[in-house]
Amino acid sequence: MNELLKDVLGHFQLDTPAVSCEPYGFGHVNVTYVVVSETKRRYILQKISTRAFHDVPALMENISAVTTYLRERIEDPRGTLTLIPTTDNKSFLDYGDGTYWRVYDFIEDSVCLQAAETPEDFFQSAVGFGRFQEMLKDFPAETLHETIPNFHNTKDRYRIFREKLAADPCGRAAGVQKEIEFALARAEEASTLVDQQAAGILPTRVTHNDTKLNNVMLDAETKKALCVIDLDTVMPGLSLYDFGDSIRFGASTAAEDEKDLDKVEMSLDLFRTYTRGFLQECPGLTEQERKMMPMGAKMMTLECGVRFLTDYLDGDNYFKTHYDTHNLDRCRTQFKLVADMESKWEEMARIIEEESK
Ligand code: ADP
Ligand code: GN1
Ligand code: MG
């Protein structure tokens, strides 16, 4: 095992010393490892992204508070993330060189999917994220730190996009005019949700804000929703962020970085499936929240496409990429999904109406 990782792990209260530590998972932000101890117990070790998160102590305070709150409300101990404290009883390790680390219990006998294998899997992810939001409905939102300010402020995402576009630090803008035009043509609409929140038309709730399918675990045997993970972005937000981000990722007929755009569509069947699960678990959603669900899906997809495009223009500093045009390919799938949603707008609205009955 790498000496650095061994030393880092030595600062955590594992049951016995670690015998292996290997890269793990498909997250775009943190660096994740699976750790095995001498007794074969497994853990997740993460180096927290300081590019994404500028105040790690505040972030970890959120996670400790939310997981403690959830633990009192669940039956299966695998139903929430469990932090393993450091040897000086802290929730994370400040290694002193600008890196920050944390360890979770590995959620055993579970599956984490990159794409739904069956519609029922997607339904269960809706149950998981919906239940998560419902369980946190009385959590004191004002005690949570905003771990990434303006995370889903689509209007502000456009501001950053325009800034990078004007600076064009890598000279990449000329090659992506079509994508830039697509984004700019929808700039006005980008303020829809933020404006409604500011006007009090949409209620602020404690939300997860990063509800893609690989941020929820299903029980390996029953395939039922088990645990919502990746709690870095839990903060006050809109229910539509959680609903919309799940549709963006999970109702697509292709991977987020699919190069063949003919394969990329927003499946209305999957849209219905997720809607059903989410509405079932969140019976308290207001009429306006339900009415805006198609817009939530569109905004989260547009915003994510704009974020991928911004990162591409900026030289790929935020999202992990595996090749030069990775962020551009991701941006293209998102914009294809947005266009597809626009062409299916009435059907999406009808599905929401039918599933609300
Ligand atoms: P990122 O912010 O980079 O997406 P995540 O916290 O989502 O990081 O972790 C990346 C992946 O690691 C997840 O998609 C999941 O597969 C796996 N993972 C994370 N936490 C656990 C856990 N406690 N038990 C098992 N697998 C986990
Ligand atoms: C990131 O961390 P991960 O891989 O679950 C990102 C999300 C994006 C997503 C796109 C903190 O999610 O906002 O929607 O990539 N998370 C953060 O796949 O920026
Ligand atoms: Mg993740």
Side-chain angles (χ1 to χ4, degrees):
M1 199 192 329
N2 169 313
E3 283 306 313
L4 167 73
L5 295 175
K6 199 169 168 180
D7 191 57
V8 165
L9 286 164
H11 288 82
F12 286 90
Q13 296 183 36
L14 308 188
D15 68 334
T16 49
V19 292
S20 73
C21 180
E22 301 295 332
Y24 192 76
F26 299 91
H28 292 343
V29 170
N30 296 304
V31 182
T32 303
Y33 302 88
V34 59
V35 177
V36 183
S37 76
E38 279 173 5
T39 61
K40 297 208 162 50
R41 188 161 155 184
R42 295 201 290 176
Y43 298 92
I44 287 285
L45 167 71
Q46 286 183 320
K47 180 162 88 170
I48 302 165
S49 168
T50 46
R51 232 173 232 296
F53 305 105
H54 299 159
D55 187 350
V56 174
L59 163 96
M60 291 307 297
E61 213 175 289
N62 278 5
I63 296 185
S64 300
V66 166
T67 53
T68 303
Y69 186 91
L70 292 175
R71 180 150 303 103
E72 287 161 12
R73 286 161 179 79
I74 51 167
E75 278 156 29
D76 188 331
R78 294 176 306 155
T80 181
L81 283 171
T82 302
L83 281 163
I84 302 297
T86 61
T87 46
D88 52 0
N89 279 318
K90 300 243 165 56
S91 60
F92 67 100
L93 172 69
D94 175 350
Y95 199 57
D97 62 347
T99 65
Y100 297 87
W101 303 79
R102 68 180 165 218
V103 173
Y104 290 117
D105 253 333
F106 192 96
I107 300 167
E108 296 291 355
D109 307 313
S110 68
V111 286
C112 174
L113 301 170
Q114 305 311 313
E117 284 164 8
T118 65
E120 177 61 20
D121 290 341
F122 195 42
F123 178 81
Q124 285 302 323
S125 77
V127 169
F129 286 122
R131 192 175 289 161
F132 181 85
Q133 187 170 123
E134 183 68 13
M135 277 197 287
L136 289 170
K137 74 174 188 302
D138 296 322
F139 184 95
E142 67 287 356
T143 62
L144 287 175
H145 306 281
E146 214 183 339
T147 55
I148 300 181
N150 290 316
F151 189 57
H152 283 314
N153 182 336
T154 314
K155 205 171 157 179
D156 198 59
R157 294 290 184 180
Y158 263 83
R159 180 188 61 77
I160 301 168
F161 165 60
R162 286 182 207 274
E163 254 177 40
K164 295 292 175 198
L165 180 58
D168 194 16
C170 304
R172 285 177 164 180
V176 292
Q177 283 305 309
K178 226 173 88 191
E179 288 72 22
I180 292 169
E181 273 165 35
F182 186 96
L184 292 177
R186 286 154 184 82
E188 286 285 297
E189 218 176 357
S191 44
T192 312
L193 301 183
V194 247
D195 286 352
Q196 292 196 10
Q197 183 179 24
I201 301 170
L202 286 171
T204 300
R205 302 180 184 277
V206 173
T207 50
H208 181 281
N209 298 307
D210 188 3
T211 53
K212 57 182 182 180
L213 190 66
N214 63 14
N215 284 335
V216 64
M217 314 291 281
L218 308 183
D219 184 285
E221 201 183 320
T222 64
K223 291 289 184 81
K224 300 270 187 234
L226 178 61
C227 179
V228 167
I229 61 169
D230 202 346
L231 304 179
D232 296 325
T233 51
V234 175
M235 52 187 159
L238 298 176
S239 60
L240 299 171
Y241 298 158
D242 285 2
F243 175 78
D245 197 50
S246 286
I247 298 300
R248 172 191 82 71
F249 189 87
S252 171
T253 52
E256 198 183 52
D257 56 1
E258 173 61 55
K259 283 175 185 288
D260 179 357
L261 293 181
D262 289 341
K263 291 188 181 153
V264 183
E265 264 186 62
M266 200 270 316
S267 153
L268 283 169
D269 287 342
L270 289 174
F271 180 79
R272 184 187 291 278
T273 300
Y274 194 91
T275 300
R276 188 172 293 168
F278 200 74
L279 289 177
Q280 171 191 299
E281 296 300 317
C282 298
L285 294 185
T286 66
E287 203 182 322
Q288 182 67 8
E289 283 177 298
R290 278 183 273 122
K291 192 175 140 208
M292 294 302 286
M293 283 164 100
M295 188 53 93
K298 181 173 162 182
M299 280 304 112
M300 287 301 94
T301 313
L302 178 64
E303 178 188 284
C304 199
V306 167
R307 290 176 65 197
F308 287 142
L309 184 57
T310 305
D311 202 33
Y312 176 72
L313 293 174
D314 196 35
D316 311 310
N317 291 313
Y318 185 90
F319 296 106
K320 277 190 230 158
T321 51
H322 299 114
Y323 55 92
D324 262 9
T325 55
H326 207 165
N327 270 320
L328 179 59
D329 287 341
R330 289 171 177 153
C331 158
R332 287 179 171 150
T333 61
Q334 301 308 291
F335 287 175
K336 171 76 195 285
L337 287 170
V338 169
D340 195 42
M341 287 178 198
E342 287 170 348
S343 75
K344 292 173 174 164
W345 205 244
E346 271 123 55
E347 283 115 306
M348 288 166 80
R350 187 163 41 80
I351 288 171
I352 300 293
E353 246 177 65
E354 287 168 4
E355 294 300 326
S356 294
K357 280 179 192 147

